[in-house]
Amino acid sequence: MAATPRKNKTARRILAAGAGLATVGALVAAMPSAGAAGDSYAAGHGKGKGWGRMVDVQLLSFNDLHGNLEPPAGSSGQVTRTKPDGTTEKVDAGGVEYLATHLRQARQGNRYSVTAAAGDMIGASPLLSGLFHDEPTIGALNKLDLDVTSVGNHEFDEGARELARMQNGGCHPTAGCFVPGKKFKGADFPYLAANVTNEKTGRPLLDPYFIWEKNGVRIGFIGVTLEGTPNVVTAEGVKGLKFGDEVETINKYTKILERKGVKSIVALVHEGGLPASQSVNYNCDGDGDGEGEGVSGAIVDIAKNVSPQVDALVTGHTHQAYVCTIPDPAGKPRLVTSASSFGKLYTDTTLTYDRRTRDIVRTAVASANHVVTRDVPKAPDMTKLIEDWKTIAAPVANRPQGFIAADINGRGSTAYEKPLGDLIADAQLEGLAPADKGGAQLALMNPGGIRSDLVYKASGAEGDGVVTYGESFTVQPFTNMMNVVDLSGANLIAALKQQVSGSNETSIKILQVSKGLTYTLDMTKTGAARVVDGSIKLNGVAIDPSKTYRVAMNEFLAGGGDGFAALATGTNKLVGASDLDVFNAYLAAHSTAAAPLPVPAADRITVVQ
């Protein structure tokens, strides 16, 4: 394929979604020369060098930004780091003003530098981006000089047509153009979706791969999202699409790249692992001989089965931080990285490229995660971008919704039952309990739908303890419609057991429950047995498998999302207000400046460790 400039979106031929899906040619980027031949050297290699046989290519990567342009608030904006003496410290991190500075500083002195991401750049975004259908985040990523990203499951939150608009540009079909006289330009970088195809034609939705090239150095990138995307996205978001096996897809396109003479390959995989420690500088290879012994989860099997020709895997989805080596099918160690989430980390990897073999020398690969600290100067162009969008958003974002007495942790909580989860579930129960609203007896909330904390400290001029619309939106940005359904006691019990079994056994998802629903979770057991039989009670009375209960939940859960097939058995559905509207109504009804909401006790689930 002929090389085309990275900025040439017309040549990219990204597909419009829908009935007209057609196959796409892969994008090849010929990067402009960054120096003269006089910079060459006779032998060896070194940082920033690029004319001998061995060339060091800097790969900067991150994942799961989720439209967090401003520094994430509260514990959601902190990472844990282990100090040399073995103790740990919390570090404030994130914000694109700081991320831009860190990336730009990291690139200095590196003649060959490419920046890649592993999906979920957008979706589940705070109001500053979400209110504008994530156009601000795409603009920020363009300014960050992102070269390529895979799609993540959240790129499908608004469906394939909206993803195509993110790539190709154009004003929103219903909201129109947000800035008068300015048409949204779309992404300067390619979104890769090798394993996402049209159900009818089998053709890729977007480019499956991208070839980065500079001065004859060529590296191929293959992008995939998790095969289970339909389980974690609303049905409408993935309508007409098929999500293929990650390993099979990567291996397929690896062979295609090899036939094109590209032997250096990086897989961008929106699927991840779970390290044994939350410390961002944890050594997940351990002190023994076994590589990657400190990381578990879906990415381990993927890494062990992806073709040995792939030189590194940049991963995401689990919002964890790790730099591991996991053996490839040939038994040789291979780098697998992830950079937490929300722009709090970036990974700096040195790939040593052999011009003669046109391949990466794996034994020379070095990589580390770096905290996006807030002690560096803010990037002025990012500050301007944020302020421009904040000015437009201000009339909506700054409206007070309620008052809190202290931080109410949600996303930042590591507990199974989160204080903010209790608050959200109670709001849903109250909003949908009236007979004309559905007659709900209990409410269930998926933990992944809680995207932030409610932070006591003021984010602007509203005053401490005031919850603004922008802050409540950041907690629940999906605007899912609430559903109330008839659910048998047997299926309610089955749903609670599905939290810790089936597809959730290795990645536990504990539903947040409304007041009155209690049970015991015994983590010394395995699988469904962790939910103790007979312990599930509503207002002190054991759940009767033969009885019918009215259960409130968002439309995502009601469709069986997150592996809760039992919840999809509900009947007699009533559709209510949006989850955000219900939440804001509860805040307004239950808090004043003089009597703010206290932090919920989070004592509904008894956990045995």
Side-chain angles (χ1 to χ4, degrees):
M1 178 176 295
T4 58
R6 183 171 69 89
K7 301 289 185 180
N8 187 345
K9 290 186 292 182
T10 303
R12 192 174 300 137
R13 293 183 291 139
I14 297 298
L15 299 176
L21 289 173
T23 190
V24 199
L27 173 64
V28 181
M31 302 298 287
S33 174
D39 292 326
S40 64
Y41 61 109
H45 66 279
K47 183 176 180 179
K49 304 298 183 181
W51 293 92
R53 172 177 170 178
M54 309 298 272
V55 175
D56 279 352
V57 178
Q58 179 189 56
L59 171 62
L60 299 175
S61 57
F62 56 98
N63 51 276
D64 296 275
L65 180 64
H66 290 289
N68 278 265
L69 302 180
E70 296 181 283
S75 56
S76 294
Q78 293 182 323
V79 296
T80 300
R81 180 169 59 191
T82 301
K83 296 189 291 186
D85 64 2
T87 61
T88 60
E89 61 179 344
K90 295 282 189 180
V91 182
D92 291 336
V96 294
E97 294 163 295
Y98 304 107
L99 178 61
T101 297
H102 278 278
L103 292 178
R104 290 164 184 171
Q105 289 178 348
R107 291 176 186 133
Q108 293 175 8
N110 288 278
R111 181 177 301 282
Y112 294 83
S113 183
V114 57
T115 303
D120 276 6
M121 295 295 97
I122 59 173
S125 304
L127 186 84
L128 183 60
S129 186
L131 184 63
F132 306 107
H133 297 274
D134 282 314
E135 290 183 19
T137 296
I138 297 297
L141 293 170
N142 288 343
K143 291 179 181 294
L144 281 176
D145 290 326
L146 181 64
D147 289 293
V148 59
T149 184
S150 62
V151 296
N153 54 288
H154 281 284
E155 262 83 21
F156 294 93
D157 283 349
E158 294 190 52
R161 287 187 180 276
E162 179 64 1
L163 175 55
R165 189 179 76 87
M166 291 293 99
Q167 181 71 88
N168 297 323
C171 295
H172 192 271
T174 56
C177 295
F178 297 113
V179 181
K182 286 189 178 181
K183 181 181 177 182
F184 174 56
K185 295 180 179 179
D188 287 341
F189 51 89
Y191 264 110
L192 304 183
N195 66 330
V196 185
T197 55
N198 183 328
E199 277 185 336
K200 294 182 179 178
T201 67
R203 294 172 176 172
L205 172 68
L206 300 170
D207 283 335
Y209 62 86
F210 162 88
I211 303 172
W212 179 86
E213 181 174 2
K214 182 176 179 181
N215 298 332
V217 175
R218 305 176 81 204
I219 298 177
F221 291 86
I222 301 168
V224 298
T225 190
L226 66 153
E227 183 181 9
T229 291
N231 297 325
V232 294
V233 175
T234 58
E236 189 63 29
V238 295
K239 187 176 181 180
L241 301 176
K242 181 180 179 181
F243 292 77
D245 181 84
E246 303 95 334
V247 172
E248 291 177 6
T249 303
I250 294 170
N251 290 348
K252 170 186 173 181
Y253 284 103
T254 295
K255 292 178 182 178
I256 291 173
L257 284 170
E258 287 185 280
R259 289 199 293 268
K260 292 179 175 291
V262 178
K263 296 184 178 180
S264 298
I265 299 170
V266 175
L268 306 176
V269 186
H270 191 71
E271 179 60 288
L274 301 168
S277 168
Q278 293 297 306
S279 177
V280 297
N281 54 346
Y282 165 66
N283 176 17
C284 60
D285 284 343
D287 298 324
D289 297 328
E291 296 93 356
E293 62 185 24
V295 68
S296 60
I299 199 60
V300 176
D301 284 340
I302 291 173
K304 288 181 176 179
N305 289 283
V306 161
S307 167
Q309 189 58 47
V310 174
D311 297 294
L313 284 77
V314 175
T315 73
H317 186 57
T318 56
H319 292 201
Q320 301 298 309
Y322 48 85
V323 175
C324 299
T325 52
I326 297 175
D328 67 15
K332 296 181 179 179
R334 175 169 53 194
L335 185 69
V336 181
T337 71
S338 177
S340 185
S341 63
F342 298 174
K344 293 181 289 188
L345 298 182
Y346 72 92
T347 311
D348 190 338
T349 302
T350 300
L351 300 172
T352 300
Y353 181 93
D354 187 331
R355 287 183 181 274
R356 185 174 298 173
T357 65
R358 293 176 292 172
D359 206 350
I360 299 298
V361 181
R362 283 237 216 121
T363 55
V365 170
S367 184
N369 276 330
H370 298 272
V371 178
V372 177
T373 58
R374 302 176 193 168
D375 57 359
V376 298
K378 295 180 179 180
D381 57 338
M382 292 299 179
T383 300
K384 184 178 186 306
L385 180 145
I386 288 171
E387 291 304 320
D388 286 349
W389 285 106
K390 283 181 75 171
T391 299
I392 303 173
V396 174
N398 297 337
R399 289 201 305 260
Q401 304 298 312
F403 303 85
I404 56 175
D407 288 358
I408 302 179
N409 287 339
R411 193 73 182 185
S413 170
T414 57
Y416 291 129
E417 182 183 354
K418 306 174 190 304
L420 188 50
D422 283 3
L423 181 62
I424 292 171
D426 286 351
Q428 294 177 352
L429 173 59
E430 181 171 297
L432 298 158
D436 62 339
K437 301 294 184 183
Q441 296 168 273
L442 63 113
L444 303 173
M445 174 64 190
N446 56 308
I450 306 170
R451 305 305 299 184
S452 185
D453 304 330
L454 281 183
V455 178
Y456 179 78
K457 184 178 179 181
S459 59
E462 74 275 11
D464 291 347
V466 179
V467 179
T468 65
Y469 184 87
E471 291 166 342
S472 62
F473 182 98
T474 297
V475 169
Q476 292 199 100
F478 298 106
T479 318
N480 277 318
M481 303 310 292
M482 290 303 303
N483 289 183
V484 186
V485 300
D486 283 346
L487 202 67
S488 70
N491 280 325
L492 176 57
I493 294 169
L496 293 177
K497 289 182 176 290
Q498 285 169 352
Q499 299 175 113
V500 288
S501 62
S503 61
N504 292 331
E505 183 164 2
T506 57
S507 182
I508 293 170
K509 295 182 179 69
I510 302 300
L511 295 167
Q512 307 299 287
V513 298
S514 57
K515 60 184 178 182
L517 185 65
T518 58
Y519 69 94
T520 298
L521 187 66
D522 188 347
M523 297 307 294
T524 66
K525 298 180 180 178
T526 59
R530 288 170 167 171
V531 175
V532 177
D533 288 331
S535 71
I536 307 170
K537 297 178 180 180
L538 181 61
N539 300 320
V541 179
I543 294 295
D544 184 342
S546 64
K547 286 187 65 175
T548 297
Y549 298 84
R550 292 291 283 168
V551 183
M553 65 192 91
N554 60 46
E555 60 187 324
F556 170 69
L557 277 180
D562 270 352
F564 291 101
L567 297 181
T569 64
T571 58
N572 193 22
K573 179 170 70 176
L574 184 145
V575 178
S578 75
D579 52 7
L580 180 59
D581 287 345
V582 167
F583 185 52
N584 284 334
Y586 188 87
L587 292 173
H590 291 273
S591 66
T592 64
L597 273 172
V599 179
D603 56 0
R604 298 163 189 179
I605 304 172
T606 300
V607 180
V608 178
Q609 298 281 13

